[in-house]
Amino acid sequence: MNKLYDLIVVGGGPGGITAGIYAKRAGLDVVIIERNVPGGAITTTSEVENYTGITKIGGIELATKMFEHASSLSIPFIWDEVKKIIPDGEEKVVECYQETYKAKAVIIAVGASVRKLNIDKERQLIGKGVSYCATCDGSLYKDKIVAIVGGGNTALEDCLYLSNIAKKVYLIHRREEFRGQNILVNQLKEKSNVQLILNSVVSDINGDNKIESIVVENKITKVKQEIKIDGLFICIGRGPDTEMIDGNININSSGYIITDENMKTNYDGIYAIGDIRNSPLKQILCACSDGAIASTKAFEYIKTKNK
């Protein structure tokens, strides 16, 4: 029979690791299940500059420190992908591809996945010029020509990062104004090798074994232009990873899990934190705060059930 944990945390990003740390310190038998690498989305961020107390730190470095903190407390990690979370009943069931686990409470901290352009050859050329992670693949494009699609902070940060590596960087955004912070926009405008292409979208990707060019269409004039590039970085945001969620867990119209201020879902003993929940701000600090709250409330719930 499978072991019954006090708490299973699904997702090893900043929120999940924080939840694990708080749970362990409270004396709970906790395990974190992560399908990729600890740190989640921050491992794809070149630099973090808005984490209180740290002026600037690399995303991978911060993720490593968080993992080391959890490891110092002997918090176990299970490297597996969750297929389904069944929240009903006293024992919550977490089905993974390798094994099925049970716990008295579950914290869902799976975050969100990158959104795709959904155009021809995008999927075919992933790893052959198409990328969703500048910090992962940027070094491959030293002194080459690349393009970035997006207008949020991630796109702007990736553009700044790539401008120090590539010979030329095109930043393509569907609107006139950026959604990202003005300080990042101003830094980009000072870069001589960055060209802004606004009010435009990528309509086609050309190439067979590797990317050769993209077709960019101006949304206002409808004029199309072909731009020869060596790499295309797609940074148009993320969507919630809710495929594993039982259909009875309440989500909003955008697919994010609905919780109260205590991170509780509509099921007792099931909590959601970070980018997967209906939070107004998707930031590392917010995810960590969510994790601390959810873990504390899970402890109270489990303590009540153990009486």
PDB file of all heavy atoms in Angstrom, residues 68-90:
ATOM      1  N   GLU A  68      18.404  24.361  -2.674  1.00  0.00           N
ATOM      2  CA  GLU A  68      19.368  24.057  -1.616  1.00  0.00           C
ATOM      3  C   GLU A  68      18.756  24.267  -0.238  1.00  0.00           C
ATOM      4  O   GLU A  68      19.037  23.512   0.699  1.00  0.00           O
ATOM      5  CB  GLU A  68      20.627  24.909  -1.791  1.00  0.00           C
ATOM      6  CG  GLU A  68      21.479  24.505  -2.994  1.00  0.00           C
ATOM      7  CD  GLU A  68      22.627  25.454  -3.249  1.00  0.00           C
ATOM      8  OE1 GLU A  68      22.620  26.558  -2.639  1.00  0.00           O
ATOM      9  OE2 GLU A  68      23.525  25.115  -4.044  1.00  0.00           O
ATOM     10  N   HIS A  69      17.925  25.294  -0.115  1.00  0.00           N
ATOM     11  CA  HIS A  69      17.237  25.553   1.153  1.00  0.00           C
ATOM     12  C   HIS A  69      16.333  24.373   1.505  1.00  0.00           C
ATOM     13  O   HIS A  69      16.346  23.867   2.635  1.00  0.00           O
ATOM     14  CB  HIS A  69      16.427  26.846   1.048  1.00  0.00           C
ATOM     15  CG  HIS A  69      15.871  27.319   2.349  1.00  0.00           C
ATOM     16  ND1 HIS A  69      15.255  28.542   2.502  1.00  0.00           N
ATOM     17  CD2 HIS A  69      15.802  26.733   3.580  1.00  0.00           C
ATOM     18  CE1 HIS A  69      14.859  28.687   3.755  1.00  0.00           C
ATOM     19  NE2 HIS A  69      15.178  27.604   4.428  1.00  0.00           N
ATOM     20  N   ALA A  70      15.545  23.922   0.529  1.00  0.00           N
ATOM     21  CA  ALA A  70      14.653  22.782   0.758  1.00  0.00           C
ATOM     22  C   ALA A  70      15.465  21.521   1.080  1.00  0.00           C
ATOM     23  O   ALA A  70      15.103  20.741   1.976  1.00  0.00           O
ATOM     24  CB  ALA A  70      13.771  22.555  -0.459  1.00  0.00           C
ATOM     25  N   SER A  71      16.550  21.324   0.356  1.00  0.00           N
ATOM     26  CA  SER A  71      17.379  20.132   0.569  1.00  0.00           C
ATOM     27  C   SER A  71      18.027  20.134   1.944  1.00  0.00           C
ATOM     28  O   SER A  71      18.222  19.067   2.555  1.00  0.00           O
ATOM     29  CB  SER A  71      18.459  20.048  -0.513  1.00  0.00           C
ATOM     30  OG  SER A  71      17.872  19.930  -1.800  1.00  0.00           O
ATOM     31  N   SER A  72      18.345  21.317   2.443  1.00  0.00           N
ATOM     32  CA  SER A  72      18.965  21.413   3.772  1.00  0.00           C
ATOM     33  C   SER A  72      18.020  20.950   4.870  1.00  0.00           C
ATOM     34  O   SER A  72      18.454  20.575   5.961  1.00  0.00           O
ATOM     35  CB  SER A  72      19.413  22.853   4.047  1.00  0.00           C
ATOM     36  OG  SER A  72      18.295  23.709   4.289  1.00  0.00           O
ATOM     37  N   LEU A  73      16.723  20.962   4.572  1.00  0.00           N
ATOM     38  CA  LEU A  73      15.712  20.503   5.520  1.00  0.00           C
ATOM     39  C   LEU A  73      15.293  19.063   5.242  1.00  0.00           C
ATOM     40  O   LEU A  73      14.359  18.546   5.858  1.00  0.00           O
ATOM     41  CB  LEU A  73      14.485  21.413   5.464  1.00  0.00           C
ATOM     42  CG  LEU A  73      14.708  22.870   5.896  1.00  0.00           C
ATOM     43  CD1 LEU A  73      13.466  23.712   5.612  1.00  0.00           C
ATOM     44  CD2 LEU A  73      15.061  22.944   7.374  1.00  0.00           C
ATOM     45  N   SER A  74      15.987  18.435   4.292  1.00  0.00           N
ATOM     46  CA  SER A  74      15.706  17.040   3.906  1.00  0.00           C
ATOM     47  C   SER A  74      14.284  16.864   3.382  1.00  0.00           C
ATOM     48  O   SER A  74      13.632  15.838   3.651  1.00  0.00           O
ATOM     49  CB  SER A  74      15.954  16.095   5.101  1.00  0.00           C
ATOM     50  OG  SER A  74      17.300  16.168   5.521  1.00  0.00           O
ATOM     51  N   ILE A  75      13.804  17.845   2.634  1.00  0.00           N
ATOM     52  CA  ILE A  75      12.495  17.732   1.998  1.00  0.00           C
ATOM     53  C   ILE A  75      12.659  16.872   0.744  1.00  0.00           C
ATOM     54  O   ILE A  75      13.429  17.226  -0.152  1.00  0.00           O
ATOM     55  CB  ILE A  75      11.930  19.111   1.630  1.00  0.00           C
ATOM     56  CG1 ILE A  75      11.727  19.957   2.890  1.00  0.00           C
ATOM     57  CG2 ILE A  75      10.607  18.971   0.870  1.00  0.00           C
ATOM     58  CD1 ILE A  75      11.346  21.400   2.604  1.00  0.00           C
ATOM     59  N   PRO A  76      11.971  15.753   0.647  1.00  0.00           N
ATOM     60  CA  PRO A  76      12.134  14.887  -0.532  1.00  0.00           C
ATOM     61  C   PRO A  76      11.446  15.459  -1.770  1.00  0.00           C
ATOM     62  O   PRO A  76      10.374  16.064  -1.672  1.00  0.00           O
ATOM     63  CB  PRO A  76      11.466  13.581  -0.099  1.00  0.00           C
ATOM     64  CG  PRO A  76      10.479  13.976   0.942  1.00  0.00           C
ATOM     65  CD  PRO A  76      11.054  15.163   1.660  1.00  0.00           C
ATOM     66  N   PHE A  77      12.077  15.276  -2.916  1.00  0.00           N
ATOM     67  CA  PHE A  77      11.508  15.626  -4.207  1.00  0.00           C
ATOM     68  C   PHE A  77      11.264  14.342  -4.987  1.00  0.00           C
ATOM     69  O   PHE A  77      12.121  13.452  -5.007  1.00  0.00           O
ATOM     70  CB  PHE A  77      12.460  16.524  -5.007  1.00  0.00           C
ATOM     71  CG  PHE A  77      12.403  17.978  -4.624  1.00  0.00           C
ATOM     72  CD1 PHE A  77      12.941  18.418  -3.415  1.00  0.00           C
ATOM     73  CD2 PHE A  77      11.828  18.914  -5.473  1.00  0.00           C
ATOM     74  CE1 PHE A  77      12.899  19.752  -3.066  1.00  0.00           C
ATOM     75  CE2 PHE A  77      11.778  20.259  -5.128  1.00  0.00           C
ATOM     76  CZ  PHE A  77      12.318  20.674  -3.919  1.00  0.00           C
ATOM     77  N   ILE A  78      10.122  14.257  -5.626  1.00  0.00           N
ATOM     78  CA  ILE A  78       9.824  13.154  -6.533  1.00  0.00           C
ATOM     79  C   ILE A  78       9.805  13.721  -7.945  1.00  0.00           C
ATOM     80  O   ILE A  78       9.063  14.663  -8.239  1.00  0.00           O
ATOM     81  CB  ILE A  78       8.461  12.512  -6.207  1.00  0.00           C
ATOM     82  CG1 ILE A  78       8.514  11.823  -4.837  1.00  0.00           C
ATOM     83  CG2 ILE A  78       8.064  11.516  -7.295  1.00  0.00           C
ATOM     84  CD1 ILE A  78       7.175  11.292  -4.370  1.00  0.00           C
ATOM     85  N   TRP A  79      10.645  13.174  -8.823  1.00  0.00           N
ATOM     86  CA  TRP A  79      10.749  13.679 -10.185  1.00  0.00           C
ATOM     87  C   TRP A  79       9.804  12.871 -11.070  1.00  0.00           C
ATOM     88  O   TRP A  79      10.135  11.797 -11.543  1.00  0.00           O
ATOM     89  CB  TRP A  79      12.192  13.619 -10.666  1.00  0.00           C
ATOM     90  CG  TRP A  79      13.132  14.249  -9.691  1.00  0.00           C
ATOM     91  CD1 TRP A  79      14.032  13.612  -8.891  1.00  0.00           C
ATOM     92  CD2 TRP A  79      13.245  15.631  -9.385  1.00  0.00           C
ATOM     93  NE1 TRP A  79      14.709  14.514  -8.114  1.00  0.00           N
ATOM     94  CE2 TRP A  79      14.244  15.763  -8.388  1.00  0.00           C
ATOM     95  CE3 TRP A  79      12.596  16.780  -9.842  1.00  0.00           C
ATOM     96  CZ2 TRP A  79      14.613  16.994  -7.849  1.00  0.00           C
ATOM     97  CZ3 TRP A  79      12.957  18.006  -9.301  1.00  0.00           C
ATOM     98  CH2 TRP A  79      13.953  18.112  -8.330  1.00  0.00           C
ATOM     99  N   ASP A  80       8.622  13.389 -11.246  1.00  0.00           N
ATOM    100  CA  ASP A  80       7.584  12.701 -12.005  1.00  0.00           C
ATOM    101  C   ASP A  80       6.566  13.740 -12.476  1.00  0.00           C
ATOM    102  O   ASP A  80       6.532  14.873 -11.977  1.00  0.00           O
ATOM    103  CB  ASP A  80       6.903  11.642 -11.142  1.00  0.00           C
ATOM    104  CG  ASP A  80       6.206  10.556 -11.959  1.00  0.00           C
ATOM    105  OD1 ASP A  80       6.093  10.715 -13.194  1.00  0.00           O
ATOM    106  OD2 ASP A  80       5.774   9.558 -11.360  1.00  0.00           O
ATOM    107  N   GLU A  81       5.755  13.365 -13.435  1.00  0.00           N
ATOM    108  CA  GLU A  81       4.707  14.263 -13.938  1.00  0.00           C
ATOM    109  C   GLU A  81       3.342  13.788 -13.457  1.00  0.00           C
ATOM    110  O   GLU A  81       3.014  12.601 -13.553  1.00  0.00           O
ATOM    111  CB  GLU A  81       4.729  14.324 -15.463  1.00  0.00           C
ATOM    112  CG  GLU A  81       3.727  15.319 -16.032  1.00  0.00           C
ATOM    113  CD  GLU A  81       3.861  15.502 -17.523  1.00  0.00           C
ATOM    114  OE1 GLU A  81       4.782  14.908 -18.128  1.00  0.00           O
ATOM    115  OE2 GLU A  81       3.047  16.251 -18.107  1.00  0.00           O
ATOM    116  N   VAL A  82       2.563  14.721 -12.942  1.00  0.00           N
ATOM    117  CA  VAL A  82       1.245  14.392 -12.415  1.00  0.00           C
ATOM    118  C   VAL A  82       0.240  14.302 -13.555  1.00  0.00           C
ATOM    119  O   VAL A  82       0.147  15.206 -14.385  1.00  0.00           O
ATOM    120  CB  VAL A  82       0.788  15.445 -11.380  1.00  0.00           C
ATOM    121  CG1 VAL A  82      -0.647  15.181 -10.933  1.00  0.00           C
ATOM    122  CG2 VAL A  82       1.725  15.446 -10.180  1.00  0.00           C
ATOM    123  N   LYS A  83      -0.503  13.215 -13.587  1.00  0.00           N
ATOM    124  CA  LYS A  83      -1.556  13.035 -14.589  1.00  0.00           C
ATOM    125  C   LYS A  83      -2.900  13.545 -14.088  1.00  0.00           C
ATOM    126  O   LYS A  83      -3.671  14.141 -14.843  1.00  0.00           O
ATOM    127  CB  LYS A  83      -1.692  11.553 -14.955  1.00  0.00           C
ATOM    128  CG  LYS A  83      -0.531  10.966 -15.692  1.00  0.00           C
ATOM    129  CD  LYS A  83      -0.905   9.622 -16.320  1.00  0.00           C
ATOM    130  CE  LYS A  83      -1.247   8.592 -15.264  1.00  0.00           C
ATOM    131  NZ  LYS A  83      -1.536   7.258 -15.857  1.00  0.00           N
ATOM    132  N   LYS A  84      -3.174  13.303 -12.804  1.00  0.00           N
ATOM    133  CA  LYS A  84      -4.495  13.643 -12.292  1.00  0.00           C
ATOM    134  C   LYS A  84      -4.453  13.826 -10.783  1.00  0.00           C
ATOM    135  O   LYS A  84      -3.755  13.092 -10.084  1.00  0.00           O
ATOM    136  CB  LYS A  84      -5.497  12.533 -12.653  1.00  0.00           C
ATOM    137  CG  LYS A  84      -6.953  12.890 -12.393  1.00  0.00           C
ATOM    138  CD  LYS A  84      -7.879  11.789 -12.912  1.00  0.00           C
ATOM    139  CE  LYS A  84      -9.338  12.168 -12.728  1.00  0.00           C
ATOM    140  NZ  LYS A  84     -10.251  11.098 -13.224  1.00  0.00           N
ATOM    141  N   ILE A  85      -5.202  14.811 -10.322  1.00  0.00           N
ATOM    142  CA  ILE A  85      -5.380  15.031  -8.894  1.00  0.00           C
ATOM    143  C   ILE A  85      -6.846  14.782  -8.566  1.00  0.00           C
ATOM    144  O   ILE A  85      -7.731  15.435  -9.126  1.00  0.00           O
ATOM    145  CB  ILE A  85      -4.979  16.456  -8.480  1.00  0.00           C
ATOM    146  CG1 ILE A  85      -3.497  16.702  -8.782  1.00  0.00           C
ATOM    147  CG2 ILE A  85      -5.277  16.699  -6.996  1.00  0.00           C
ATOM    148  CD1 ILE A  85      -3.068  18.133  -8.580  1.00  0.00           C
ATOM    149  N   ILE A  86      -7.082  13.819  -7.686  1.00  0.00           N
ATOM    150  CA  ILE A  86      -8.457  13.492  -7.279  1.00  0.00           C
ATOM    151  C   ILE A  86      -8.656  14.016  -5.865  1.00  0.00           C
ATOM    152  O   ILE A  86      -8.115  13.466  -4.902  1.00  0.00           O
ATOM    153  CB  ILE A  86      -8.693  11.967  -7.333  1.00  0.00           C
ATOM    154  CG1 ILE A  86      -8.375  11.447  -8.744  1.00  0.00           C
ATOM    155  CG2 ILE A  86     -10.132  11.637  -6.945  1.00  0.00           C
ATOM    156  CD1 ILE A  86      -8.397   9.942  -8.853  1.00  0.00           C
ATOM    157  N   PRO A  87      -9.421  15.103  -5.711  1.00  0.00           N
ATOM    158  CA  PRO A  87      -9.477  15.801  -4.422  1.00  0.00           C
ATOM    159  C   PRO A  87     -10.506  15.277  -3.437  1.00  0.00           C
ATOM    160  O   PRO A  87     -10.478  15.627  -2.263  1.00  0.00           O
ATOM    161  CB  PRO A  87      -9.835  17.228  -4.841  1.00  0.00           C
ATOM    162  CG  PRO A  87     -10.699  17.039  -6.049  1.00  0.00           C
ATOM    163  CD  PRO A  87     -10.152  15.835  -6.754  1.00  0.00           C
ATOM    164  N   ASP A  88     -11.424  14.440  -3.903  1.00  0.00           N
ATOM    165  CA  ASP A  88     -12.549  14.038  -3.054  1.00  0.00           C
ATOM    166  C   ASP A  88     -12.132  12.976  -2.044  1.00  0.00           C
ATOM    167  O   ASP A  88     -11.330  12.103  -2.341  1.00  0.00           O
ATOM    168  CB  ASP A  88     -13.695  13.514  -3.927  1.00  0.00           C
ATOM    169  CG  ASP A  88     -15.032  13.558  -3.218  1.00  0.00           C
ATOM    170  OD1 ASP A  88     -15.096  14.163  -2.136  1.00  0.00           O
ATOM    171  OD2 ASP A  88     -16.003  12.994  -3.745  1.00  0.00           O
ATOM    172  N   GLY A  89     -12.654  13.069  -0.835  1.00  0.00           N
ATOM    173  CA  GLY A  89     -12.385  12.069   0.184  1.00  0.00           C
ATOM    174  C   GLY A  89     -11.352  12.530   1.191  1.00  0.00           C
ATOM    175  O   GLY A  89     -10.692  13.551   1.020  1.00  0.00           O
ATOM    176  N   GLU A  90     -11.220  11.747   2.254  1.00  0.00           N
ATOM    177  CA  GLU A  90     -10.260  12.080   3.304  1.00  0.00           C
ATOM    178  C   GLU A  90      -8.822  11.967   2.795  1.00  0.00           C
ATOM    179  O   GLU A  90      -7.951  12.737   3.184  1.00  0.00           O
ATOM    180  CB  GLU A  90     -10.468  11.152   4.502  1.00  0.00           C
ATOM    181  CG  GLU A  90     -11.783  11.373   5.248  1.00  0.00           C
ATOM    182  CD  GLU A  90     -11.850  12.722   5.912  1.00  0.00           C
ATOM    183  OE1 GLU A  90     -10.842  13.151   6.496  1.00  0.00           O
ATOM    184  OE2 GLU A  90     -12.920  13.366   5.835  1.00  0.00           O
TER     185      GLU A  90
END
